[in-house]
Amino acid sequence: MGYRNSALYTLKYVATMLNEDEDFLRECSIEMFSEDGCVSAYDDYPASGRNEHIVLFTEVGIENLQQIIRNLRGDANPPSKLVAERNRKKPRLLRP
């Protein structure tokens, strides 16, 4: 069985690491789920929708968050010219 990192990083930690605003990252993470590497923790009992939750990220979650940021800013890496040429559909020749 391979090594699996089980560390979780707070929103504040990730904001400092990425040199980003916490509120901006919170907005970016709203649509992320546990499968994406983003989980919520509650510090008050009983937990309810009114309680402020702590946003936590796994390493995969940080990578996904960085991709969301790139997408929002339009910095997504476009495919190289060679890949774009290869993926372009070629016109079909009509045979009489």
Side-chain angles (χ1 to χ4, degrees):
M1 189 172 215
Y3 169 75
R4 183 183 291 199
N5 185 346
S6 60
L8 294 172
Y9 304 91
T10 64
L11 179 69
K12 181 178 181 178
Y13 181 95
V14 175
T16 302
M17 183 180 79
L18 299 179
N19 196 29
E20 295 284 353
D21 180 65
E22 283 185 55
D23 292 330
F24 172 67
L25 293 186
R26 185 179 301 277
E27 289 295 319
C28 291
S29 69
I30 287 176
E31 298 297 322
M32 293 178 70
F33 298 100
S34 59
E35 303 87 44
D36 304 320
C38 180
V39 296
S40 297
Y42 292 91
D43 196 23
D44 291 326
Y45 182 81
S48 71
R50 294 182 182 171
N51 291 18
E52 185 69 26
H53 63 274
I54 301 166
V55 179
L56 303 167
F57 299 96
T58 63
E59 287 185 2
V60 170
I62 295 170
E63 292 171 11
N64 288 333
L65 185 64
Q66 288 175 307
Q67 184 61 49
I68 290 169
I69 293 167
R70 284 191 295 271
N71 291 345
L72 286 173
R73 291 185 174 156
D75 296 340
N77 296 330
S80 67
K81 185 176 180 181
L82 182 61
V83 171
E85 291 290 327
R86 185 175 58 225
N87 291 338
R88 185 180 303 146
K89 290 188 176 184
K90 295 182 179 172
R92 291 178 22 184
L93 297 175
L94 298 175
R95 295 185 184 188

